Amino acid sequence: MHELSIAQEIYRTSRAAVAGHGAGRLETVKVAVGELSAVEPDLLVFAWQALTQGGPDAESELKVEWRPARQFCAGCNADKPRSPGSWLRLCPQCGMALAVSGGDELDVLQVTFLPDEAAGEGGVADG
Amino acid sequence: MAEVVDVRAKVLAANEEAAARLRGTFRTSGALVLNLISSPGSGKTTLLETTVKALAGRLRLAGIEGDVATERDADRLRAMGIPAVQILTGGACHLDARQVRKAIDEAAFPAFDVLFIENVGNLICPTSYDLGEDFKVALLSVTEGDDKPFKYPAIFSRAEVTVITKADLLPHVAFDMDAVRGQLATLAPSGAVLVTSAKTGEGIAEWCALLERRLAAKREAGA
């Protein structure tokens, strides 16, 4: 269970990315999680909620894009579908040995940030 | 109005930078570094004890031991006559590169040819963290069952070498070696598989030869 450490790194990266945008709060953080990244998406979202709870970003949402690994068959020149969490050793169509590739993504893709209204472009100074 | 900021950054960038610095340190010193990952009790420390004995006088070895608690594993390596340091994670399920850097700096090991980093016993979390190693080694004992590579694909797809341990127990357990080899061929087509027993010595010479070969290749590439 290392999803909390991963969530902390995502939070740190997201905050660093908006550091130049003034005060405000995170709205959404989009991440890519690969099937072979050893990270479980639901646990990551729970960890995010626990981490942001009670702080300025408590309303933020962590959106996980799942990136499955591929099982490509050179004989058929096509990716072979399989049921989630299972692997094929041989191509069901042509019998060629299949390898697993990709699915190791663990990236922060995009952050949407809501600047505080007082810091908005209106520039109305406090009386 | 919300502002959209494109980030495109690796989540573990901070760890990966620390790992890259460690890799630079080990390139300069010409040491081969292994990250050993397996479930608890598969025989990581026993493999290392056996390796120390088999390589006695041929290579200078050192060890970093990761555990939740106790100095037991580092004590076992020191008892074999090699320098070793224990990292206690206090509950954390993996080692990260910054912990290894700190351990290296504090340990002030005498010069070594091969450094073994024995990760916390866990087939999942250690997979995500680069420790600056040359390659990962996954261990699988025959008592754990022959379905493990497909059940834990992340580690077995990243390990360049898989060491099957406790092969002396094969007559007593249902362990289909061909099935395991088939799963490993799917997950890591270019990986090596070694069948070993610390008790009988089976496969230990091949394991030591692999270490010597990889060390020589690294030094040749760096020369």
Side-chain angles (χ1 to χ4, degrees):
Chain A
M1 170 58 190
H2 64 312
E3 276 76 3
L4 191 56
S5 335
I6 302 287
Q8 282 167 336
E9 291 294 335
I10 294 172
Y11 187 76
R12 198 186 54 75
T13 305
S14 306
R15 269 286 158 194
V18 300
H21 295 247
R25 59 189 180 82
L26 300 175
E27 188 179 51
T28 59
V29 172
K30 204 190 287 176
V31 296
V33 171
E35 186 173 6
L36 297 178
S37 68
V39 171
E40 208 288 312
D42 284 345
L43 291 180
L44 189 59
V45 170
F46 299 154
W48 181 264
Q49 290 162 352
L51 185 73
T52 55
Q53 200 172 34
D57 300 309
E59 299 295 309
S60 65
E61 186 190 359
L62 184 71
K63 290 186 174 175
V64 178
E65 280 186 16
W66 180 245
R67 302 281 172 84
R70 298 175 65 201
Q71 290 214 274
F72 180 78
C73 177
C76 305
N77 194 30
D79 277 339
K80 291 294 154 176
R82 58 196 163 85
S83 44
S86 73
W87 308 100
L88 302 169
R89 280 184 51 196
L90 303 174
C91 173
Q93 277 72 43
C94 73
M96 185 175 276
L98 299 181
V100 170
S101 67
D104 49 8
E105 298 88 346
L106 190 55
D107 303 319
V108 181
L109 301 175
Q110 196 181 66
V111 176
T112 56
F113 180 69
L114 279 171
D116 286 346
E117 289 191 15
E121 65 235 60
V124 180
D126 283 352
Chain B
M1 200 39 203
E3 294 178 24
V4 178
V5 182
D6 276 321
V7 186
R8 310 267 156 199
K10 284 184 178 298
V11 170
L12 293 173
N15 183 73
E16 279 162 34
E17 283 161 24
R21 284 194 294 275
L22 279 170
R23 198 164 273 119
T25 301
F26 299 138
R27 193 181 303 119
T28 306
S29 68
L32 184 73
V33 181
L34 279 62
N35 181 0
L36 289 97
I37 299 176
S38 77
S39 56
S42 63
K44 291 184 292 299
T45 314
T46 302
L47 177 69
L48 296 187
E49 288 173 328
T50 309
T51 307
V52 173
K53 225 180 291 176
L55 283 172
R58 276 152 66 192
L59 293 178
R60 297 165 299 172
L61 309 175
I64 294 179
E65 297 288 316
D67 276 294
V68 169
T70 83
E71 285 259 342
R72 186 174 151 74
D73 284 358
D75 285 342
R76 285 173 63 183
L77 293 188
R78 288 190 283 254
M80 299 298 297
I82 73 166
V85 61
Q86 186 78 45
I87 298 177
L88 294 179
T89 67
C93 48
H94 61 270
L95 296 178
D96 78 27
R98 288 157 287 192
Q99 288 172 305
V100 172
R101 163 59 69 188
K102 189 162 174 279
I104 287 276
D105 288 347
E106 288 175 3
F109 286 135
F112 53 82
D113 301 308
V114 180
L115 172 66
F116 299 106
I117 304 174
E118 182 181 331
N119 223 307
V120 180
N122 179 334
L123 280 173
I124 305 168
C125 314
T127 308
S128 306
Y129 295 85
D130 184 354
L131 303 181
E133 70 271 1
D134 290 285
F135 58 97
K136 290 179 172 56
V137 179
L139 278 75
L140 171 62
S141 60
V142 300
T143 54
E144 290 167 59
D146 52 26
D147 52 359
K148 292 301 171 287
F150 272 4
K151 278 192 168 180
Y152 298 91
I155 179 56
F156 288 102
S157 65
R158 281 180 175 85
E160 277 185 43
V161 179
T162 296
V163 178
I164 312 283
T165 59
K166 310 187 191 182
D168 54 288
L169 295 178
L170 278 170
H172 309 288
V173 293
F175 186 89
D176 183 341
M177 192 66 79
D178 288 340
V180 169
R181 286 185 185 279
Q183 292 167 46
L184 292 171
T186 302
L187 292 168
S190 58
V193 183
L194 296 174
V195 179
T196 69
S197 163
K199 195 163 185 178
T200 66
E202 177 184 352
I204 299 302
E206 288 85 345
W207 161 247
C208 292
L210 183 146
L211 297 178
E212 291 184 306
R213 206 165 55 236
R214 290 296 300 256
L215 176 66
K218 180 173 186 173
R219 288 185 173 164
E220 201 173 310

